[in-house]
Amino acid sequence: MRGYLDTATRFEFGTKAETLTRLAELVRTAVVLPLEYFTVAEWRGEPEQVLTRLCSQQWSAAPLIVRSSGYDEDRTGSSLAGRYLSQAHVSGRRELRLAIEKVVDSFDSDHPENQVLVQPQFEVATASGVVSSYEPSCGAPYRVVNWTSGSDTTEVTSGGSVVKTWYFLDGNAAVPPAAELEGIPELVLELEELIGDEPFEFEFAATESGALILFQVRPLAGVRPIPRGQRHAEIVAECQGQVRALNREQSVALGKRTVLGIMPDWNPAEMIGVRPRPLATSLYRTLITDSVWAESRARYGYRDLRGVPLLVDLGGLPYIDARASFTSMVPASLDDVLARRLVEHYIETLRGNPQLHDKIEFTIALTCYHFNTPDHVRELIESGILPATDSALLTKGLRELTIAIMADHGPFAADLRASEHLARTPVTRPAEFSLSHLEYLLTTCRRRGTLPFSGLARAAFVATSMVRSLVELGVLTATEADALLGSANTVSTVLLHDFATLTRDEFLARYGHLRPGSYDILSPRYDEAPDLYFDWSREAPPASASTQFEPSAEQLRAIRELLVSHSLPGSPERLLEFVAQAVAAREYSKLHFTRFLSEILVEVARAGARLGFTPDDMSYLTISALCDSRSADRRYISELVRAGKERHEMTEILCAPAVLTDPAELTTFVAGNGAANFVTQSRVIARVADVAAGDDPTDAIAAISAADPGYDWIFTKRVKGLLTAFGGANSHMAIRALELGIPAAIGVGKEQFEQWQRAGVLEIDAGNRMVRAVGAGRS
């Protein structure tokens, strides 16, 4: 029925049952439950004898689990995890027979060496999950633990519940995030000593006492492991040094320490991705986060942080320095003592609530005046954050700053004029690449594009804050607020109208410069790949008129009373006009400056082409290197490309949390909830197929809610990419995508999934940890 493998020989993976049998004799830091297994041939030939043997086991009186152990499962190069059936909570001979038949019937073939594995059902675990010896997506030398409460590991592999993910590096005294995981590091090391260098993963359960139960060990299919070498350790140490330095007192940015995040303020995770190529990062810094961001805020009445970069580059991973950001959001009229108190409060709030890192202005910082500002200031006083004497100063500073922003002749009006001027400025393209033309594009984009855009975006935030406060006070309903903000004639509404009414050539002449990744040279422009983004064969839907908001007389009266009581000038009509104007101006300004940004990328590609370099090669350069007088020297560029690729290879194998508060978090951290798991380093742009709604996933990105093995059929349809709401890095669909080399975003969260599911066309850039909606979607 079964025999033990020779433990003196080099360890080799067998079937699930064979591997567990061998490990039961070898592993000391975990327990393998008693087991029996048999082949399908044995079952077909002598089912009663097999049942009798099983039922004679002392442990068979308790509930059992019947599991597949296929000859093609858990092999090097192909794990087929979750492919075949398991039957849990089986009691008695009759149920056992039925369960075995179901498992046997689930095999793809009648191969006689397929096996069935029977063990006692384990149900007293406080935690369970899957551990990978290397990071499953890129092979980086991190241990990755996906775990959840309870004893059912399918909650992790199927993506059926909230899964937490712990990353850690060996040799760093990693403190487990849960007591039940305390033995995991030692178990990983023991298994690695037995198995060798081949990447593997295992399913486990942990008891309240900390004992670990080993359910399964299998090769980590499709992963090319990155050696745990000195270079990776050096890069991590360099990044830790940067974080330590940033957490010291600074002369301009206020406060004792900082927080680094990928989504506060100018949100690099959204704009350039988590692991951008050097060109994208350098453009973002040159055009916004080195100086433009601070200059704009100073012009709008905030503290002047010119000379302080907002973006911090940790080994190629872009983070926002929250201390610099928060300091730049304090009105310039406040003294250093009050400003410091505010910034330190904001920093500590973010440290204690890292999940707020993508919404710091709405939930943490007071950055403008609105109708609930006095209440928010009062909360700071009552909680002891600020002394009562500072209340009037803070309120006055925010009010004056906001009034200046909304004024007819203030910075908003000036930026609006600058943006309109840029809209009238044609983008020219000389016959051949010209360094002087590239420098002109960069200067124009920065001074007349991103600088005004930064201000208009600030005004749009003020407008949105005003509207939110009207909702909180009951003057507007949430639906009315949406209608008010939606009544702005934004680029999105006009683009949809134009797509429905313009010819293909007319539409591309107006919008052809747009790219899904504005700073990404590898992201095709609309006019470079129009059929990739739009279905020109179908009749365009009728253009819909934008929703118009018409306030009632009672609402206008309430707003007028609020303006008077809060000492804000102007009329209700002017306030609502400002709201619509600011929201629209932000979007149009972006449309205008991206004409120049997109052309910069065209010029970079042309600069490379003249020397025999591809756009992919050029993505590894920085924009400053291209503006060097040596940029026409092929050897010079070739060396920069080589060095850039080498650096980015290290970036691709760095793992770090979305919010960094301590250098130690670069060696051990728990990924925040809702952080997607990306599979492969590939990218794809394709239409989205809502599989549950019956969409054909052929040549599409398949969107399915959970990582259920029942969806395996989609892989027969030439699926280009995969998107799921739930699931971890070790879920069934993540493993299948990895084996097949399909870029995937697994476990993006329910809300984000539903948004992307409705997109017409989606881009998944797994290597850069990004998903973008790039085409018109379904309503």
Side-chain angles (χ1 to χ4, degrees):
M1 196 164 177
R2 66 177 174 87
Y4 288 101
L5 300 176
D6 180 5
T7 58
T9 61
R10 177 182 176 275
F11 187 93
E12 292 185 4
F13 286 101
T15 63
K16 184 187 305 178
E18 291 165 352
T19 299
L20 280 177
T21 297
R22 184 171 188 191
L23 288 173
E25 299 180 337
L26 302 174
V27 173
R28 299 291 176 263
T29 56
V31 174
V32 177
L33 297 176
L35 63 89
E36 290 287 337
Y37 67 90
F38 49 90
T39 66
V40 170
E42 287 180 280
W43 175 253
R44 296 294 191 209
E46 298 177 325
E48 292 304 323
Q49 288 188 22
V50 171
L51 284 171
T52 298
R53 286 181 223 154
L54 291 172
C55 293
S56 68
Q57 300 299 318
Q58 186 176 0
W59 44 265
S60 66
L64 305 174
I65 183 168
V66 181
R67 307 168 65 192
S68 66
S69 180
Y71 80 98
D72 54 353
E73 279 188 278
D74 299 350
R75 299 286 185 173
T76 300
S78 176
S79 74
L80 297 182
R83 176 78 167 255
Y84 305 128
L85 202 60
S86 291
Q87 294 288 290
H89 307 290
V90 177
S91 298
R93 189 178 182 113
R94 181 176 177 278
E95 283 189 16
L96 183 56
R97 176 192 291 274
L98 292 174
I100 292 171
E101 286 291 352
K102 288 181 179 179
V103 172
V104 169
D105 288 344
S106 73
F107 289 121
D108 289 340
S109 69
D110 291 330
H111 196 288
E113 294 306 311
N114 282 331
Q115 299 165 347
V116 177
L117 165 65
V118 181
Q119 290 179 287
Q121 180 81 44
F122 188 77
E123 299 183 284
V124 293
T126 55
S128 60
V130 180
V131 180
S132 303
S133 63
Y134 286 83
E135 201 282 325
S137 177
C138 63
Y142 296 83
R143 315 300 195 181
V144 182
V145 183
N146 289 277
W147 91 99
T148 188
S149 300
S151 60
D152 187 359
T153 60
T154 62
E155 291 297 304
V156 173
T157 58
S158 70
S161 67
V162 176
V163 177
K164 291 165 281 189
T165 304
W166 174 33
Y167 293 77
F168 68 93
L169 292 170
D170 288 341
N172 290 277
V175 178
E180 300 96 324
L181 306 180
E182 187 173 349
I184 291 293
E186 189 177 0
L187 176 54
V188 177
L189 287 173
E190 183 184 20
L191 288 173
E192 199 163 59
E193 288 177 4
L194 294 170
I195 294 170
D197 295 332
E198 181 176 3
F200 62 87
E201 61 185 359
F202 61 87
E203 296 183 17
F204 75 95
T207 66
E208 190 172 0
S209 67
L212 297 175
I213 310 300
L214 194 59
F215 291 138
Q216 185 171 350
V217 183
R218 56 180 174 255
L220 190 54
V223 173
R224 182 176 63 85
I226 306 299
R228 305 180 197 281
Q230 186 66 25
R231 183 56 182 147
H232 184 270
E234 289 173 354
I235 294 293
V236 171
E238 288 174 14
C239 294
Q240 288 180 312
Q242 286 181 263
V243 176
R244 288 190 193 94
L246 286 164
N247 271 299
R248 300 189 187 108
E249 290 270 4
Q250 306 287 329
S251 59
V252 180
L254 303 174
K256 298 175 182 177
R257 55 184 182 173
T258 190
V259 175
L260 303 180
I262 63 172
M263 295 184 73
D265 210 344
W266 276 96
N267 197 340
E270 179 182 357
M271 300 308 300
I272 58 176
V274 175
R275 292 172 177 159
R277 299 278 180 93
L279 178 63
T281 301
S282 67
L283 274 172
Y284 199 55
R285 297 180 71 162
T286 298
L287 296 177
I288 294 176
T289 65
D290 275 356
S291 61
V292 164
W293 75 284
E295 180 179 351
S296 175
R297 295 218 173 134
R299 291 174 59 240
Y300 272 64
Y302 296 93
R303 284 182 83 88
D304 191 344
L305 260 77
R306 278 175 285 194
V308 178
L310 181 64
L311 188 146
V312 176
D313 186 325
L314 294 181
L317 306 179
Y319 281 87
I320 293 299
D321 181 351
R323 177 167 55 184
S325 172
F326 283 135
T327 303
S328 77
M329 294 176 183
V330 175
S333 60
L334 303 186
D335 62 43
D336 287 352
V337 175
L338 175 52
R340 177 181 291 272
R341 284 199 190 106
L342 286 170
V343 172
E344 290 185 343
H345 166 63
Y346 298 156
I347 287 291
E348 295 310 310
T349 302
L350 180 56
R351 291 177 75 93
N353 301 273
Q355 73 279 5
L356 301 179
H357 73 122
D358 60 341
K359 50 185 77 70
I360 59 173
E361 290 195 68
F362 284 121
T363 60
I364 297 179
L366 301 181
T367 64
C368 66
Y369 191 94
H370 53 72
F371 301 120
N372 276 331
T373 295
D375 291 338
H376 294 166
V377 173
R378 191 176 306 113
E379 290 172 3
L380 293 179
I381 304 298
E382 292 174 352
S383 61
I385 304 301
L386 298 179
T389 52
D390 287 340
S391 173
L393 291 174
L394 177 55
T395 302
K396 180 174 181 289
L398 291 170
R399 182 187 292 112
E400 290 177 347
L401 176 150
T402 302
I403 291 172
I405 290 174
M406 297 172 60
D408 289 340
H409 302 290
F412 169 66
D415 283 339
L416 191 58
R417 289 192 298 272
S419 180
E420 290 169 348
H421 183 269
L422 185 68
R424 297 189 297 270
T425 303
V427 176
T428 59
R429 185 179 299 175
E432 297 180 354
F433 169 78
S434 162
L435 180 57
S436 62
H437 183 63
L438 175 61
E439 291 171 336
Y440 158 76
L441 291 172
L442 284 165
T443 301
T444 303
C445 189
R446 184 171 58 247
R447 301 307 306 169
R448 293 161 56 189
T450 56
L451 181 60
F453 169 74
S454 299
L456 298 174
R458 172 62 28 195
F461 175 82
V462 171
T464 304
S465 297
M466 286 284 189
V467 173
R468 286 168 70 110
S469 68
L470 290 174
V471 173
E472 291 169 359
L473 292 171
V475 177
L476 299 178
T477 67
T479 301
E480 288 170 332
D482 290 343
L484 170 58
L485 296 172
S487 65
N489 204 20
T490 63
V491 172
S492 298
T493 56
V494 174
L495 185 148
L496 291 174
H497 175 273
D498 288 348
F499 184 67
T501 57
L502 299 179
T503 66
R504 171 182 166 130
D505 289 344
E506 290 171 336
F507 180 83
L508 291 177
R510 189 169 298 178
Y511 301 103
H513 69 277
L514 293 175
R515 305 171 185 261
S518 297
Y519 297 82
D520 185 358
I521 194 172
L522 302 179
S523 182
R525 291 164 50 117
Y526 282 4
D527 57 11
E528 291 174 342
D531 295 333
L532 182 63
Y533 300 117
F534 304 100
D535 187 350
W536 307 94
S537 63
R538 295 192 302 178
E539 182 178 353
S544 58
S546 59
T547 304
Q548 295 298 315
F549 172 70
E550 294 293 340
S552 66
E554 183 178 349
Q555 287 172 322
L556 291 173
R557 183 167 54 254
I559 295 173
R560 183 175 293 106
E561 291 174 357
L562 286 169
L563 289 170
V564 171
S565 64
H566 286 265
S567 302
L568 293 174
S571 65
E573 292 82 1
R574 177 67 190 104
L575 174 63
L576 298 180
E577 179 186 357
F578 168 76
V579 168
Q581 187 180 35
V583 171
R586 174 186 59 196
E587 301 306 310
Y588 276 102
S589 178
K590 184 175 183 180
L591 178 70
H592 301 326
F593 91 71
T594 53
R595 287 191 302 128
F596 285 82
L597 173 55
S598 189
E599 197 64 22
I600 289 168
L601 294 174
V602 169
E603 286 303 299
V604 171
R606 295 209 302 167
R610 67 176 180 162
L611 299 174
F613 295 103
T614 66
D616 183 78
D617 293 329
M618 303 302 284
S619 70
Y620 293 103
L621 302 182
T622 63
I623 195 65
S624 60
L626 282 169
C627 292
D628 189 280
S629 60
R630 295 169 290 175
S631 61
D633 184 338
R634 192 181 193 287
R635 284 182 296 180
Y636 169 72
I637 296 296
S638 180
E639 175 57 25
L640 291 178
V641 169
R642 185 203 60 77
K645 286 182 177 180
E646 187 175 281
R647 285 193 302 271
H648 192 67
E649 285 176 359
M650 296 308 301
T651 300
E652 288 183 320
I653 60 171
L654 284 176
C655 296
V659 178
L660 254 173
T661 61
D662 188 274
E665 292 170 344
L666 288 165
T667 60
T668 175
F669 66 93
V670 175
N673 291 336
N677 299 277
F678 287 90
V679 181
T680 80
Q681 298 293 306
S682 305
R683 63 192 291 165
V684 64
I685 301 175
R687 66 178 179 84
V688 178
D690 182 354
V691 177
D695 290 354
D696 180 6
T698 301
D699 294 326
I701 292 173
I704 56 178
S705 179
D708 186 339
Y711 280 108
D712 262 11
W713 62 269
I714 66 173
F715 297 111
T716 68
K717 297 287 187 178
R718 300 196 309 273
V719 170
K720 299 293 188 183
L722 186 62
L723 177 77
T724 75
F726 307 107
N730 298 97
S731 67
H732 173 74
M733 283 299 175
I735 293 169
R736 300 295 285 135
L738 186 62
E739 291 173 355
L740 298 171
I742 296 172
I746 304 295
V748 301
K750 181 175 181 291
E751 291 77 15
Q752 188 63 77
F753 173 80
E754 290 174 350
Q755 179 180 341
W756 284 333
Q757 186 183 35
R758 293 190 294 271
V761 177
L762 210 62
E763 178 185 19
I764 296 178
D765 184 352
N768 200 17
R769 302 301 195 255
M770 289 187 73
V771 180
R772 299 187 185 102
V774 299
R778 67 190 83 194
S779 60

